[in-house]
Amino acid sequence: MKNIHSYWAYLVLVILIFTVANAIISLAQKKKFTDKDLRLGLFTLIVSHIQLLIGLAWYFMSPWYKALKADASAVMKESTARLLAVEHPTVMILAIVLITIGWSKHKKKTTDTDKFKTFAVFYGLALLLILSRIPWSNWF
Ligand code: HEM
């Protein structure tokens, strides 16, 4: 489960970066919002939700959850344990909530510019949150 979570993360990052860059470039060039843009946003939503499920499944069987249950204050005092047991899961869930809000908000927008703007803001913020709390040293 940990390995799947680790490999799936590449897919999440690549597709999310691509969707955010596409939204910003399309906004700047005043492009039309096409089926391709819709599918990109939807694919990012699906890929990140799958990562959420894999992450949750791994979390509850991981040593980090057990450590948190056994001695929460010791976990909070140690930065690596705190990152893996608390910060990473919480911030990633928040990021996926932002992606979900962005997806549903974009559907209500009526102009191409507003649709791209919604993706740029919500998916962009999610990307920043994700980048801020990936355990980089464990990953590479
Ligand atoms: C967009 C969402 C997410 C991304 C991109 C992501 C990415 C990653 C990456 C790159 C690692 C390091 C993997 C490694 O050590 O090889 C990791 C570890 C971990 N993730 Fe996530 N994650 C996400 C969501 C979640 C969620 C929602 C949870 C739990 C609720 C979670 C729980 C964990 C745990 C417990 C680890 C520690 C693995 C270990 O060293 O035992 N992740 N994640």
PDB file of all heavy atoms in Angstrom, residues 79-99:
ATOM      1  N   SER A  79       9.784  16.106  14.620  1.00  0.00           N
ATOM      2  CA  SER A  79       9.278  16.719  13.378  1.00  0.00           C
ATOM      3  C   SER A  79       8.959  15.720  12.257  1.00  0.00           C
ATOM      4  O   SER A  79       7.965  15.883  11.553  1.00  0.00           O
ATOM      5  CB  SER A  79      10.236  17.801  12.889  1.00  0.00           C
ATOM      6  OG  SER A  79      11.445  17.213  12.496  1.00  0.00           O
ATOM      7  N   THR A  80       9.766  14.666  12.091  1.00  0.00           N
ATOM      8  CA  THR A  80       9.491  13.693  11.021  1.00  0.00           C
ATOM      9  C   THR A  80       8.209  12.922  11.313  1.00  0.00           C
ATOM     10  O   THR A  80       7.346  12.756  10.438  1.00  0.00           O
ATOM     11  CB  THR A  80      10.667  12.695  10.870  1.00  0.00           C
ATOM     12  OG1 THR A  80      11.859  13.444  10.743  1.00  0.00           O
ATOM     13  CG2 THR A  80      10.481  11.798   9.679  1.00  0.00           C
ATOM     14  N   ALA A  81       8.082  12.459  12.561  1.00  0.00           N
ATOM     15  CA  ALA A  81       6.883  11.708  12.936  1.00  0.00           C
ATOM     16  C   ALA A  81       5.646  12.595  12.813  1.00  0.00           C
ATOM     17  O   ALA A  81       4.601  12.162  12.322  1.00  0.00           O
ATOM     18  CB  ALA A  81       7.017  11.188  14.367  1.00  0.00           C
ATOM     19  N   ARG A  82       5.779  13.863  13.221  1.00  0.00           N
ATOM     20  CA  ARG A  82       4.644  14.800  13.146  1.00  0.00           C
ATOM     21  C   ARG A  82       4.221  15.021  11.689  1.00  0.00           C
ATOM     22  O   ARG A  82       3.038  15.041  11.365  1.00  0.00           O
ATOM     23  CB  ARG A  82       5.024  16.120  13.810  1.00  0.00           C
ATOM     24  CG  ARG A  82       3.830  17.064  13.982  1.00  0.00           C
ATOM     25  CD  ARG A  82       4.199  18.307  14.753  1.00  0.00           C
ATOM     26  NE  ARG A  82       5.190  19.095  14.035  1.00  0.00           N
ATOM     27  CZ  ARG A  82       6.350  19.490  14.548  1.00  0.00           C
ATOM     28  NH1 ARG A  82       6.685  19.198  15.781  1.00  0.00           N
ATOM     29  NH2 ARG A  82       7.192  20.199  13.829  1.00  0.00           N
ATOM     30  N   LEU A  83       5.233  15.140  10.808  1.00  0.00           N
ATOM     31  CA  LEU A  83       4.930  15.345   9.390  1.00  0.00           C
ATOM     32  C   LEU A  83       4.132  14.155   8.838  1.00  0.00           C
ATOM     33  O   LEU A  83       3.103  14.336   8.184  1.00  0.00           O
ATOM     34  CB  LEU A  83       6.237  15.526   8.594  1.00  0.00           C
ATOM     35  CG  LEU A  83       6.097  15.589   7.073  1.00  0.00           C
ATOM     36  CD1 LEU A  83       5.332  16.845   6.648  1.00  0.00           C
ATOM     37  CD2 LEU A  83       7.455  15.575   6.382  1.00  0.00           C
ATOM     38  N   LEU A  84       4.606  12.936   9.116  1.00  0.00           N
ATOM     39  CA  LEU A  84       3.970  11.756   8.520  1.00  0.00           C
ATOM     40  C   LEU A  84       2.648  11.379   9.203  1.00  0.00           C
ATOM     41  O   LEU A  84       1.713  10.917   8.547  1.00  0.00           O
ATOM     42  CB  LEU A  84       4.939  10.568   8.551  1.00  0.00           C
ATOM     43  CG  LEU A  84       6.181  10.762   7.667  1.00  0.00           C
ATOM     44  CD1 LEU A  84       7.174   9.647   7.867  1.00  0.00           C
ATOM     45  CD2 LEU A  84       5.793  10.866   6.201  1.00  0.00           C
ATOM     46  N   ALA A  85       2.575  11.594  10.510  1.00  0.00           N
ATOM     47  CA  ALA A  85       1.379  11.154  11.230  1.00  0.00           C
ATOM     48  C   ALA A  85       0.269  12.201  11.238  1.00  0.00           C
ATOM     49  O   ALA A  85      -0.910  11.860  11.351  1.00  0.00           O
ATOM     50  CB  ALA A  85       1.747  10.796  12.673  1.00  0.00           C
ATOM     51  N   VAL A  86       0.655  13.482  11.147  1.00  0.00           N
ATOM     52  CA  VAL A  86      -0.356  14.537  11.322  1.00  0.00           C
ATOM     53  C   VAL A  86      -0.396  15.523  10.135  1.00  0.00           C
ATOM     54  O   VAL A  86      -1.426  15.663   9.463  1.00  0.00           O
ATOM     55  CB  VAL A  86      -0.108  15.334  12.635  1.00  0.00           C
ATOM     56  CG1 VAL A  86      -1.184  16.395  12.829  1.00  0.00           C
ATOM     57  CG2 VAL A  86      -0.055  14.401  13.823  1.00  0.00           C
ATOM     58  N   GLU A  87       0.753  16.187   9.874  1.00  0.00           N
ATOM     59  CA  GLU A  87       0.730  17.289   8.902  1.00  0.00           C
ATOM     60  C   GLU A  87       0.422  16.819   7.478  1.00  0.00           C
ATOM     61  O   GLU A  87      -0.428  17.395   6.799  1.00  0.00           O
ATOM     62  CB  GLU A  87       2.074  18.031   8.924  1.00  0.00           C
ATOM     63  CG  GLU A  87       2.324  18.744  10.236  1.00  0.00           C
ATOM     64  CD  GLU A  87       3.746  19.306  10.343  1.00  0.00           C
ATOM     65  OE1 GLU A  87       4.546  19.124   9.407  1.00  0.00           O
ATOM     66  OE2 GLU A  87       4.055  19.912  11.370  1.00  0.00           O
ATOM     67  N   HIS A  88       1.139  15.776   7.041  1.00  0.00           N
ATOM     68  CA  HIS A  88       0.935  15.302   5.670  1.00  0.00           C
ATOM     69  C   HIS A  88      -0.528  14.872   5.429  1.00  0.00           C
ATOM     70  O   HIS A  88      -1.175  15.397   4.517  1.00  0.00           O
ATOM     71  CB  HIS A  88       1.936  14.188   5.354  1.00  0.00           C
ATOM     72  CG  HIS A  88       1.735  13.531   4.034  1.00  0.00           C
ATOM     73  ND1 HIS A  88       2.141  14.086   2.848  1.00  0.00           N
ATOM     74  CD2 HIS A  88       1.132  12.360   3.696  1.00  0.00           C
ATOM     75  CE1 HIS A  88       1.817  13.278   1.845  1.00  0.00           C
ATOM     76  NE2 HIS A  88       1.203  12.225   2.336  1.00  0.00           N
ATOM     77  N   PRO A  89      -1.067  13.953   6.248  1.00  0.00           N
ATOM     78  CA  PRO A  89      -2.458  13.542   6.000  1.00  0.00           C
ATOM     79  C   PRO A  89      -3.450  14.705   6.042  1.00  0.00           C
ATOM     80  O   PRO A  89      -4.299  14.839   5.161  1.00  0.00           O
ATOM     81  CB  PRO A  89      -2.744  12.539   7.131  1.00  0.00           C
ATOM     82  CG  PRO A  89      -1.403  12.038   7.547  1.00  0.00           C
ATOM     83  CD  PRO A  89      -0.458  13.166   7.339  1.00  0.00           C
ATOM     84  N   THR A  90      -3.317  15.598   7.054  1.00  0.00           N
ATOM     85  CA  THR A  90      -4.281  16.698   7.193  1.00  0.00           C
ATOM     86  C   THR A  90      -4.223  17.650   5.997  1.00  0.00           C
ATOM     87  O   THR A  90      -5.260  17.994   5.405  1.00  0.00           O
ATOM     88  CB  THR A  90      -3.969  17.527   8.478  1.00  0.00           C
ATOM     89  OG1 THR A  90      -3.692  16.633   9.519  1.00  0.00           O
ATOM     90  CG2 THR A  90      -5.120  18.421   8.861  1.00  0.00           C
ATOM     91  N   VAL A  91      -3.000  18.067   5.648  1.00  0.00           N
ATOM     92  CA  VAL A  91      -2.858  19.046   4.568  1.00  0.00           C
ATOM     93  C   VAL A  91      -3.266  18.440   3.219  1.00  0.00           C
ATOM     94  O   VAL A  91      -3.865  19.106   2.371  1.00  0.00           O
ATOM     95  CB  VAL A  91      -1.416  19.618   4.558  1.00  0.00           C
ATOM     96  CG1 VAL A  91      -1.180  20.505   3.347  1.00  0.00           C
ATOM     97  CG2 VAL A  91      -1.163  20.409   5.840  1.00  0.00           C
ATOM     98  N   MET A  92      -2.972  17.145   3.019  1.00  0.00           N
ATOM     99  CA  MET A  92      -3.351  16.500   1.743  1.00  0.00           C
ATOM    100  C   MET A  92      -4.877  16.403   1.627  1.00  0.00           C
ATOM    101  O   MET A  92      -5.432  16.608   0.552  1.00  0.00           O
ATOM    102  CB  MET A  92      -2.741  15.096   1.630  1.00  0.00           C
ATOM    103  CG  MET A  92      -1.246  15.082   1.612  1.00  0.00           C
ATOM    104  SD  MET A  92      -0.525  15.926   0.187  1.00  0.00           S
ATOM    105  CE  MET A  92       0.862  16.711   0.941  1.00  0.00           C
ATOM    106  N   ILE A  93      -5.540  16.099   2.733  1.00  0.00           N
ATOM    107  CA  ILE A  93      -7.011  16.030   2.695  1.00  0.00           C
ATOM    108  C   ILE A  93      -7.563  17.413   2.336  1.00  0.00           C
ATOM    109  O   ILE A  93      -8.451  17.551   1.493  1.00  0.00           O
ATOM    110  CB  ILE A  93      -7.588  15.495   4.039  1.00  0.00           C
ATOM    111  CG1 ILE A  93      -7.233  14.012   4.183  1.00  0.00           C
ATOM    112  CG2 ILE A  93      -9.106  15.710   4.123  1.00  0.00           C
ATOM    113  CD1 ILE A  93      -7.550  13.403   5.534  1.00  0.00           C
ATOM    114  N   LEU A  94      -6.989  18.445   2.966  1.00  0.00           N
ATOM    115  CA  LEU A  94      -7.408  19.822   2.676  1.00  0.00           C
ATOM    116  C   LEU A  94      -7.207  20.147   1.188  1.00  0.00           C
ATOM    117  O   LEU A  94      -8.074  20.758   0.542  1.00  0.00           O
ATOM    118  CB  LEU A  94      -6.559  20.769   3.543  1.00  0.00           C
ATOM    119  CG  LEU A  94      -7.159  22.122   3.839  1.00  0.00           C
ATOM    120  CD1 LEU A  94      -8.341  21.950   4.770  1.00  0.00           C
ATOM    121  CD2 LEU A  94      -6.117  23.022   4.492  1.00  0.00           C
ATOM    122  N   ALA A  95      -6.061  19.729   0.646  1.00  0.00           N
ATOM    123  CA  ALA A  95      -5.765  19.995  -0.771  1.00  0.00           C
ATOM    124  C   ALA A  95      -6.804  19.307  -1.665  1.00  0.00           C
ATOM    125  O   ALA A  95      -7.283  19.896  -2.642  1.00  0.00           O
ATOM    126  CB  ALA A  95      -4.358  19.502  -1.109  1.00  0.00           C
ATOM    127  N   ILE A  96      -7.171  18.084  -1.314  1.00  0.00           N
ATOM    128  CA  ILE A  96      -8.129  17.349  -2.154  1.00  0.00           C
ATOM    129  C   ILE A  96      -9.543  17.961  -2.016  1.00  0.00           C
ATOM    130  O   ILE A  96     -10.303  17.995  -2.977  1.00  0.00           O
ATOM    131  CB  ILE A  96      -8.074  15.839  -1.836  1.00  0.00           C
ATOM    132  CG1 ILE A  96      -6.685  15.311  -2.228  1.00  0.00           C
ATOM    133  CG2 ILE A  96      -9.155  15.067  -2.588  1.00  0.00           C
ATOM    134  CD1 ILE A  96      -6.330  13.951  -1.711  1.00  0.00           C
ATOM    135  N   VAL A  97      -9.836  18.494  -0.831  1.00  0.00           N
ATOM    136  CA  VAL A  97     -11.102  19.221  -0.658  1.00  0.00           C
ATOM    137  C   VAL A  97     -11.122  20.441  -1.595  1.00  0.00           C
ATOM    138  O   VAL A  97     -12.119  20.711  -2.275  1.00  0.00           O
ATOM    139  CB  VAL A  97     -11.303  19.656   0.823  1.00  0.00           C
ATOM    140  CG1 VAL A  97     -12.444  20.662   0.963  1.00  0.00           C
ATOM    141  CG2 VAL A  97     -11.577  18.439   1.704  1.00  0.00           C
ATOM    142  N   LEU A  98      -9.995  21.162  -1.663  1.00  0.00           N
ATOM    143  CA  LEU A  98      -9.905  22.334  -2.554  1.00  0.00           C
ATOM    144  C   LEU A  98     -10.121  21.936  -4.013  1.00  0.00           C
ATOM    145  O   LEU A  98     -10.821  22.619  -4.763  1.00  0.00           O
ATOM    146  CB  LEU A  98      -8.541  23.016  -2.409  1.00  0.00           C
ATOM    147  CG  LEU A  98      -8.358  23.928  -1.207  1.00  0.00           C
ATOM    148  CD1 LEU A  98      -6.925  24.446  -1.139  1.00  0.00           C
ATOM    149  CD2 LEU A  98      -9.320  25.120  -1.299  1.00  0.00           C
ATOM    150  N   ILE A  99      -9.513  20.808  -4.428  1.00  0.00           N
ATOM    151  CA  ILE A  99      -9.685  20.338  -5.807  1.00  0.00           C
ATOM    152  C   ILE A  99     -11.158  20.029  -6.065  1.00  0.00           C
ATOM    153  O   ILE A  99     -11.723  20.398  -7.101  1.00  0.00           O
ATOM    154  CB  ILE A  99      -8.794  19.090  -6.071  1.00  0.00           C
ATOM    155  CG1 ILE A  99      -7.315  19.504  -6.061  1.00  0.00           C
ATOM    156  CG2 ILE A  99      -9.170  18.408  -7.390  1.00  0.00           C
ATOM    157  CD1 ILE A  99      -6.330  18.354  -6.173  1.00  0.00           C
TER     158      ILE A  99
END
